[in-house]
Amino acid sequence: ACAGEPEPAATGPTEGGTLVYASGDAEPTCLDPHVGGNYPQALLATQFLESLVSRDADGAIVPWLAESWTVSEDALTWEFTLAEGIEFTDGTPFDAEAVKANIEHLQDPATQSSTGYLAVQKVESVEAVDETTARFTLSAPDSALLESLSQPWLAIESPTGIARGMEENCESPVGTGPFVVDSWAKQDRVTLTRNDGYASAPGDAAHDGPAFLDGIEWRFIPDSASRYAALQAGEVDVIDNVQPDVLVQAEQSEDLVELDAPRPGSSNRIELNSGKAPFDDVAVREAFIRSVNVDDAVASLFQGTAERSYSPLASVEPAAYSDDSLFSYDIDEANDLLDEAGWSEKDADGVRMKDGERLTLTFPVSTNQSIPAEVSLFEQLQAGAKEAGFDVQLDLLDLASWYSALGANEYDLVSAPYTKVGPDVLRILYHSDGIVPAPSGYFANHSQIDDPAVDALLDEASATLDEADRAALYEEAQADVLEGYYILPLYDQQNHFLLSTSVHDARALGTVSTPSFAAAWLS
Amino acid sequence: MSARDVSETSTGPLLELDGLTVSFGSGSSRTTVVRDVSFSIAAGECVAIVGESGSGKSVTARSILGLAGPGAIVEARRLAVDGHDVSRAGGRELRRLRGDVVGLISQDALVSLDPLRRVAAEVGDPLRLHRDASRRERDGAVIELLDRVGIPRPEVRARQYPHQLSGGLRQRALIASAIAAGPRLLIADEPTTALDMTVQAGILRLLGALRDEDTGLLLISHDLGVVAAVADRVVVMRNGSIVDEGATAAILAGGSHAYTRQLVRAVPAGVPRGTALLSREPLPTATTIAGHTPAREGRGGASLDREGRAVLSARGVAKTFGHGTDATHAVRGIDLDVHPGETIGVVGESGGGKTTLGRILLALTEPDVGTVLLDGEPWSGIRERERRSRRRLAGLVSQDTSSSVDPRWSVGRVIADALPPRLTSDERRRRVRDALADVALDPDLRTRSPRTLSGGQRQRVGIARALAAEPRVIVLDEPVSALDATVAAGVLDLLDALQRDRGLAYVLISHDLSVVRHMSDRVAVMLDGVVVETGPTEAVFSSPSHEYTRRLLADVPVLPPA
Amino acid sequence: MALLTTVHGTRARSVARWAARSALRAAVVLWASATLVFFITRLVPGDPAEAALGGPGSQASEEALAAVRERFGFDQPLIVQYGMAMLALLRLDLGTSYSLRQPVAQILGDTVPGTVILAVLALLLAWVLALALTLAQSRGSRVGAAVGDTVEIVASAVPHFWLGTILIAVFSTGLSWFPPVSTGTPAGLVLPVVTLAIPIAGFLAHVMRGSLDEALRSPFAVSALARGETETGLRSRHALRHAALPALGLSAWAFGYLVGGAVVVETIFARPGLGRSLLQAVTVRDVPVVTGVVLVSALVYVVLTIVTDALTRLVDPRIATEVR
Amino acid sequence: MTLDAATIDPLRPPPRPERRRRRVRVGEVVAVLFTVALVIASVAPGLLAPLDPTAVAPLEAFRPPSPSHPFGTDESGRDVYTRLVHGTGASLLIGLAATAIGLGTALVLALVAVFGGRVADGIVGRTIEVLFAFPALLSALLVILVLGPGPVAATVAVGLSTAPGYARIIRTSLLTVRASGYVESARLLGHSPARVVLRTILPNALAPLLALATLGVGQAVVWASSLSFLGLGAQPPAPEWGAMLASARVYLTTAWWLTVFPGLLIVATTLAATAIGRSLDARSRRSS
Ligand SMILES: Nc1ncnc2c1ncn2[C@@H]1O[C@H](COP(=O)(O)OP(=O)(O)OP(=O)(O)O)[C@@H](O)[C@H]1O
Ligand SMILES: Nc1ncnc2c1ncn2[C@@H]1O[C@H](COP(=O)(O)OP(=O)(O)OP(=O)(O)O)[C@@H](O)[C@H]1O
Ligand SMILES: [Mg+2]
Ligand SMILES: [Mg+2]
């Protein structure tokens, strides 16, 4: 089989059948992606919710529930013209009031939204000018507004559905998508049925109108080996979170097709905590980065299924900027840098010392967020860094402990990818505002970059609507981040799907690379 | 009973045994436990096997059924039952013989019934297996059988489980099961051990009756009295071989082999007080020890020092276990004085309270009422802490020789543990050697583990330990009932000699009347927790005054005078 | 003993006494478990109010935290909280899950049946396998015993997660006999049940074989054979019951072991159940769910103890008529 | 007629003294040798495997067993044999520590139950039941809830969950020994209760436990590996059998040697422990 988009089938689509999807992601605790807002929710929400805009494969914003939009000169007022005649699956009409209700829902603290909440921070108010015109008033220019609105976490839900209250809306959010949530058997599956009145495909879709599938069985199979076995046995048609060795194996199979859809936003990278010793010294950061042989590790563990990244941004982001020269493996250079930085002594274990301090790096790893191959990769990097005299302490933690470790600033290295449409993710990850934790201790600037120059670039980019200017600014900011050795890029956020060859015309959306089965059919 | 599958045409002996050899294990660890044993049994005849423990009696008996044990290698020139060659019989044929032609009463009667099955099921099994009897028929037959072996209320017993039956009842139920299918040959392996005289007499009568009904009987017993009561012929075994054989009377008269004489001689019955059993030499009279006046002159305890202060004395002691309807009055109101240098024998029915009395005397059990004095000082009713310093004055030698010593300790340590505290290690070592010498054990044994010793040796270690504490009085609870006759005789001789040497007082508890008669100066006969009769030994034995004592004595199987 | 005369009265009385004692014991165990869990969960590091709002990953505001403290009484003294918790339990109110925002009782209601079915079937299968293994061994054969030993130890030493994977590889991917993940059909139950049953079967067989050997070596076995009983008869009529007794006594414990194993098996076979709820709850520090799961498992244990006790009394007359 | 002294001496030792040389069993010898190897591996792993267990060689990853890598290499190109040898200490430590925790807790409970009077016995009895009501993995998760995941939590959890089983056995054993003839003999000699407990009761009551404990070690390793599978066990890159087994499971279909060898080692350890435990048990049984 081949990687990339599945080939279009020779025969035309056939109607009917239920597709079984097996997800290895954590089961959401709430199906409404407004609440919280994580990738597993996005995966599911893509099947039954739709956003105002979408993004095509080239990274261009395309219409969806909004047919067109205009922005004022000062970039503070946006007017969206909405598609007409669309209804939510509960019969509520889709109109400007609905858009207003959704943004307000996201902004209501009681919703406990985190992803969506951050994305609409600059939206001051939404006004329903008429049925099909929604006017957004911003507090500051936001060049990322469209990108933000394209994300499933900001999808538009039925206001009637929202009004039912959080508990009920979590069980079965109501949208305008090709499928409808029928039931949710916890720990087992979500059953989705076709929305027969569907007529609002995004601008880049090949097929408009109701889905061919009767429905989708969305199963939760946390164990990757079992998931693959289920696919092989024909119990399921699609699996996600496919392990590298399985991908390599599946390549031999005639019955399986791979869909590789790296996630947008940040690349998978290791962040170096520059907020405290020893990484407050750029030389030590560079030494660390020089001391680890990422290429070999990626090659051995991902076996050709992942490509090395040298950028803070995912390769699908048009604004991504790479500089591979900064990341060449050079152990001698690393040793020299450390010697110069004063870490010249070594203790009995070969760990470098300075003023009686050992060169110890704490690396909390969340087992919920890193797949086994990635944990192995960290182990290999750990072994490499040891050569240079770094003592890397890997701590495998459950999610709650991992968050606590970060909140307590008890880390020197961390890997926490962030999925978002567009380069604005850089602002979230590297703006000094992101260092101050929320009351809960959560913050996104794990490298703790506190550089006024970077801040200024990011602020300016955020206010610049001109694509080219904006891209240039982001490029400069990325260069600063890379050259400051704040991060060690590894590869794109892996997002591999395996599909049985009986599944046709499934595709990943250009937004957050979630698979869409709006046009899919089974043979 | 119903017709047999096995034809009755054979006219030869019921059991033919020629050159039976049984060994266990293989290669270098192979041991032969039965060697070239030959004898036969005719219908209506009773042959007894006697011999010391481990001489191969049970293995011989079980070999007849092809049940010598797992891993046993059985060879024989001829081994036939009722004309059927057992050594060549296949599984099916063997099973037909078992239970149908040959019945077995195993040695461990108390545990030979499946505790999870009702008595009726166990007893009725041979009928199920050999007679195809229906459930109903079996139930009827079982009750008849239980009645026949003398079990009262058979309907109730049949429905009960083995643990609800006393030892004697269990023994009889096992016999009922062995004779259920009416076997032509019955093997009874120690059918009366652990039974009191009265019950034993009943069982011997039953065996006699079966023999008279033409059943062949193979009786194994270490009790020559029992053998005398039922056997026609006796086979004497030793170390796996037959050493002597002959008519019962001839064997009991000493047979033709030195070992047979040794065996017969070891029986204490009729041997007067103060005579060593093994050598039949009179023991020396008691010497004066540490200011104690010798308690007696001459033999037979004719003149006891009743005036001297009793070393142990119990006044009105009583003990009840449980309460309400479940209450057992184990001991009710007993007075007893034990004087230095004298032996008090305690006899009585099983469960009569003998052991409980002994434990009260040792302050191991606190009496509900009454008091015990040790050397005139309060012994019961005080705190254990106050007793501890005087504990060493009263010792115990019990029946269970193996469980009364710490299995992890060496003989030397066991004895040293009993020595007075604060001795130098040299002194301690010397005293251990002396203690072993006192009980005629090789001092080299002190490094051995007690479990590698023979029963007689172990019992001597128990005695040595009791003596090492320098007691004034020792309670002997069935001290020899686990030992075979020759070994027992040695232990009894030793106890007697030590008493004479040190002026010790003994309380001897035993169900074996001949032992008590041989050893005691005075006896107490217990029934249901009460002493029904007491007095000088000879007086009680020759002219018992209580009905129960008379019954007890009547039930003792007697050996013909040697 | 006074047994000989009072057997009938004793039996009825002893059953009544047993029932009363069992009920009391069950109540005490449940109460103690609840207390223990209450205090253990209070030891969980971090702010319980924050945990209630979804842990440090959420962005709870100070007001929200205060509201939660008020609502769950986290600002009250510990002893008051304990009292409240016990009162709530008496009302069968297990609280609301922090992460799933659902009543714990409902979550348990959804997941307990699946796990109980799984564990009960596994226990039954384990018994069957253990009995088969036990009966298959030939008497007194040293080689047989060694093989039996090895099989049992290997069986009881394989981790569930490993066994499950092998079974999937062989019976799903290889032979396509059974689905690799739960399908809600009986076929989907086969592999999980087998995975769960094999280690415990090894353990039970080990115990059973020990006591079977002892029973076969005991004097009553000799007398049964001496009556003409067949080897098969000896096993089925006599020895098996003796062999089953200790295993029976261990079954309540084994069931607990199975519930623990369910954590792994449910993950591998993607079955909804108690184990997965617990694992999930532990990862996100969802205290009410953890408490609920532990209490349910304690309850199941208590019930099973009573059941196995009753069975033991049925099989073993020595206990039923015991007089104390 | 004089009697042959040897024939009639009642003090003659039994015809077949039990101290005859026990036939050495092959299984036991193998078990002991294996255990010796384990001990060496724990104390001085370098003797058996001179390489560095954490040294990675990415380009050597996933090599099947060969003369240079007898057990193959793992996903990071590390030598599986070397890692197994170096992981022995940690793995056995988990097993031993868990067993020690279990036994220690159990011993305290049982002693209190047996010597603390009726009320204490009742309380301990219920405590044991309560502990039983928290099955192994459940209580492990509970401990992890408090301590956070990691080898310490796993060890404590596994240890505590084995305690009730041991406690029951020790209690019965203590009761049996306390009621035995030799303890009564010691009391009859006027020894103090403390001396009787320390010198007589404990050694005898604990002997059969030794056998049990050896079995527990293997079980504990297996349980700890289940926690590793759930992502709650040992920390990388320290080699530990359970963690190796758990992480290798991902590669089961592509690299069988990664699971087979740690699995075999755990099973072999349990088997060896059982064999030794058996023979110790048999010894202590023979002696009682
Ligand atoms: N299954 C067996 N395996 C090995 N040795 C055995 C076995 N059964 C009996 N023996 C040995 O055979 C010898 C004879 O035993 P047997 O039981 O026949 O003695 P006995 O004369 O009946 O003794 P007792 O009077 O104590 O019953 C003993 O040394 C015993 O240890
Ligand atoms: N600890 C106890 N609890 C309850 N009942 C007991 C206890 N000890 C003894 N008994 C009962 O007290 C009675 C007397 O027992 P004891 O052991 O003193 O009899 P014995 O005369 O020594 O009998 P045997 O000759 O069988 O040894 C018996 O009915 C026995 O069941
Ligand atoms: Mg015998
Ligand atoms: Mg007695």
Side-chain angles (χ1 to χ4, degrees), chain A residues 223 225 245 249 296 300-301 303 372-373 376 379-380 382-383 386 394-396 398 401, chain D residues 52 54 56 58-59 61-62 75-76 78 149 229 231 235-237 249-251 253-254:
Chain A
D223 186 66
D245 61 321
Q249 210 184 14
D296 281 0
S300 78
L301 292 164
Q303 301 166 40
S376 302
E379 283 181 43
Q380 294 197 14
Q382 175 186 43
K386 194 176 159 202
L394 279 176
D395 282 335
L396 294 191
D398 62 313
S401 317
Chain D
D52 177 0
T54 57
V56 301
L59 305 178
F62 295 119
E75 69 277 14
S76 295
R78 295 173 296 208
F229 164 74
Q235 299 292 316
R249 189 181 154 274
V250 178
Y251 305 109
T253 45
T254 47

Side-chain angles (χ1 to χ4, degrees), chain C residues 231-253:
Chain C
E231 274 287 328
T232 327
L234 177 64
R235 274 150 201 269
S236 57
R237 274 171 210 282
H238 297 265
L240 205 55
R241 282 200 239 179
H242 290 263
L245 272 179
L248 199 57
L250 282 168
S251 283
W253 168 85

Side-chain angles (χ1 to χ4, degrees), chain B residues 351 354-356 399 477-478 509:
Chain B
K354 304 185 292 292
T355 297
T356 307
Q399 165 181 5
D477 192 354
E478 307 276 11
I509 298 169

Side-chain angles (χ1 to χ4, degrees), chain A residues 34 243 259 279-280 304 360 424:
Chain A
H34 290 187
Q243 304 290 319
L259 174 60
F279 280 155
D280 50 358
T360 301
D424 183 49

Side-chain angles (χ1 to χ4, degrees), chain B residues 45-69:
Chain B
E45 185 188 25
C46 173
V47 174
I49 308 182
V50 298
E52 69 188 357
S53 180
S55 55
K57 307 185 291 290
S58 298
V59 170
T60 303
R62 289 205 305 266
S63 301
I64 296 169
L65 286 164
L67 287 173

Side-chain angles (χ1 to χ4, degrees), chain A residues 294-307:
Chain A
V294 179
D295 289 346
D296 281 0
V298 172
S300 78
L301 292 164
F302 289 85
Q303 301 166 40
T305 61
E307 206 162 318

Side-chain angles (χ1 to χ4, degrees), chain B residues 26 29 31 52 54 238-239 258-259 261-262 278 359 362 364 384 388 391-392 394 396 403-409 413 417-418 439-441 448 451-454 456-457 460 465 469 486-487 490, chain D residues 1-4 6-21 23 180-193 195 199-201 203-204 207 283-284 286-288:
Chain B
S26 57
S29 68
T31 28
E52 69 188 357
R238 179 166 167 68
N239 273 349
Y259 179 66
R261 266 195 298 287
Q262 179 64 41
L278 289 177
R359 293 177 62 85
L362 288 169
L364 284 171
E384 178 65 24
R388 216 173 280 146
R391 272 271 177 223
R392 317 169 66 76
L396 170 71
S403 76
S404 67
V405 292
D406 190 326
R408 316 172 60 80
W409 289 4
R413 188 166 175 203
D417 192 50
V439 294
L441 283 177
R448 293 264 293 269
R451 68 195 152 85
T452 66
L453 303 180
S454 72
Q457 286 174 320
R460 277 165 198 254
R465 174 179 56 188
T486 43
V487 178
Chain D
M1 154 152 220
T2 52
L3 294 168
D4 170 4
T7 345
I8 54 145
D9 180 6
L11 302 187
R12 181 180 53 86
R16 289 193 335 148
E18 289 205 34
R19 231 176 43 161
R20 90 202 142 91
R21 229 182 63 217
R23 231 180 55 178
S180 73
Y182 53 88
V183 169
E184 187 162 283
S185 302
R187 282 214 290 144
L188 273 172
L189 291 169
H191 293 322
S192 71
R195 172 171 165 158
R199 292 190 28 172
T200 307
I201 297 184
N204 280 294
R283 257 163 236 252
S284 76
R286 227 174 295 126
S287 63
S288 53

